[in-house]
Amino acid sequence: MNIIYEPWPWYVGGPLIALVMFLLLFAGKKFGMSSNLRTVCAAMGAGRTANYFDFDWKSKRWNLMVVLGAIIGGFIASNFMGDSRVGIHPKVAQQLSEDYQITSAGEGYMPPEIFAVDALDDPFIIAVLLIGGILVGFGARYGGGCTSGHGVSGLSNLQIPSLIAVIGFFVGGMIMIHLLYPLIFR
Amino acid sequence: MRYITYLSIGILFGIIMFKSEAASWFRIYEMFHFGSFHMYGLMGSAVVIGIIGVQIIKQKNIKTIDGEKMNLKPKDLSVRRYLFGGTIFGLGWALAGVCPGPMYVLAGAGYISILIVIVGALIGTFLYGLLKKKLPH
């Protein structure tokens, strides 16, 4: 039974992600974790300002339930399902500590240098998190999906648009990590 | 009753994201440095099984539990919106180190700072809604 408490390898996690997609398909819905952002904006009254949010958001309440579930799932997994230290390749860990003084690889799930509450004393960290979020939200809605909607659902359905989007995800990520990180996190 | 189903699927998803480390900032960073096969294996195996399953659904014409057609409509063809939107998403994904699913999972795991990312994502979504007509699609 220890296997549940250890980090799950890719060949366990990947098939389970596919299972989640199929469960949602059987329920008559679609697997995609960013459309809920539009639903939340609409529920907060954004329909008064932009047409894009002027729809019957109550018909999309199901995806808010999935979000609530994801929050509960994160709580359960982090508190009751064992060790959450993430070990990455030693070379990448070393590079992180040498280039960006992020020395916490292997010690936790997230780097406290960015995600600890204390780190929020630094306005720079707040800006990184906020701008990162803005790009994620804007890009996901502009591109019509995220890693789940395009990366898993769309590719599984052999959608060319999803392949283009996934290539975009990767291009953007590579530009950020290899060209912009050295400028941002000096 | 239906809501309990969606909630349960969400809980399953949250546990999978957390335990498979797909929600870890370190794994995203490592992926863009090609430091491990982990994230590629995770996405790759999900997609391979997904493709096989979707083909079976189409061949056998499998219906939803309500007996309706499954939600597998093709997406509108275009290049610009997917390429531009996708690239912008990728920039944010790597900058914050999280994508939309894991944002919620991490909120549940108690990372307070992730709320800033979620607020950002909502602002980004709102900005897209405002600018939609002016953007190339």
Side-chain angles (χ1 to χ4, degrees):
Chain A
M1 281 310 284
N2 274 340
I3 182 106
I4 292 182
Y5 298 99
E6 306 269 323
W8 296 355
W10 62 264
Y11 50 83
V12 172
L16 286 172
I17 293 171
L19 173 70
V20 168
M21 178 184 77
F22 288 124
L23 287 174
L24 282 168
L25 280 175
F26 276 108
K29 305 298 179 196
K30 230 160 70 171
F31 177 46
M33 289 304 295
S34 61
S35 46
N36 57 65
L37 293 168
R38 183 182 176 212
T39 312
V40 173
C41 283
M44 294 196 301
R48 286 192 295 271
T49 329
N51 280 340
Y52 181 64
F53 303 108
D54 192 9
F55 68 101
D56 176 25
W57 65 269
K58 286 185 179 158
S59 68
K60 302 279 184 190
R61 268 183 301 199
W62 70 271
N63 66 27
L64 302 182
M65 293 308 288
V66 176
V67 164
L68 182 61
I71 295 171
I72 298 170
F75 177 80
I76 294 171
S78 62
N79 285 291
F80 309 114
M81 294 180 72
D83 192 353
S84 53
R85 283 177 295 187
V86 175
I88 55 170
H89 194 287
K91 271 198 183 140
V92 178
Q94 191 188 353
Q95 182 268 343
L96 258 180
S97 96
E98 280 171 9
D99 291 358
Y100 305 123
Q101 289 74 51
I102 291 178
T103 56
S104 49
E107 292 166 16
Y109 199 84
M110 303 291 275
E113 290 88 343
I114 300 173
F115 287 93
V117 177
D118 297 350
L120 297 180
D121 291 342
D122 185 353
F124 167 75
I125 293 294
I126 296 180
V128 163
L129 296 171
L130 191 65
I131 295 168
I134 291 173
L135 293 170
V136 162
F138 186 89
R141 288 343 299 149
Y142 187 6
C146 62
T147 12
S148 50
H150 278 308
V152 180
S153 294
L155 290 185
S156 293
N157 195 18
L158 303 173
Q159 295 295 301
I160 299 293
S162 295
L163 182 63
I164 300 170
V166 170
I167 291 169
F169 298 164
F170 217 78
V171 168
M174 292 300 278
I175 292 173
M176 179 54 70
I177 297 278
H178 294 280
L179 300 178
L180 301 179
Y181 258 52
L183 304 174
I184 298 170
F185 291 99
R186 270 184 307 182
Chain B
M1 185 54 214
R2 258 311 156 80
Y3 285 141
I4 302 293
T5 309
Y6 302 132
L7 187 73
S8 312
I9 296 173
I11 293 173
L12 179 67
F13 172 75
I15 293 174
I16 296 166
M17 282 291 107
F18 193 89
K19 287 304 294 178
S20 68
E21 301 181 340
S24 168
W25 184 95
F26 290 114
R27 283 294 189 190
I28 309 294
Y29 185 84
E30 179 193 48
M31 172 183 75
F32 286 119
H33 277 274
F34 302 100
S36 152
F37 182 69
H38 184 80
M39 291 297 288
Y40 299 97
L42 203 62
M43 289 293 286
S45 60
V47 169
V48 168
I49 293 168
I51 290 172
I52 296 169
V54 168
Q55 286 306 315
I56 294 172
I57 287 169
K58 287 183 173 174
Q59 304 267 314
K60 308 237 168 196
N61 201 14
I62 298 173
K63 305 278 194 234
T64 67
I65 33 172
D66 296 323
E68 283 166 32
K69 230 173 130 48
M70 287 211 185
N71 204 338
L72 291 164
K73 288 186 290 274
K75 293 182 184 291
D76 300 332
L77 265 182
S78 149
V79 173
R80 286 186 298 183
R81 76 169 291 192
Y82 300 113
L83 193 61
F84 298 159
T87 305
I88 294 169
F89 176 87
L91 289 166
W93 184 21
L95 180 60
V98 279
C99 49
M103 283 184 332
Y104 303 115
V105 178
L106 291 168
Y111 294 97
I112 306 289
S113 309
I114 211 72
L115 296 176
I116 298 173
V117 183
I118 295 176
V119 168
L122 288 169
I123 295 172
T125 303
F126 183 64
L127 287 176
Y128 171 72
L130 288 182
L131 300 171
K132 188 176 182 223
K133 292 194 185 97
K134 295 182 180 135
L135 298 165
H137 278 79

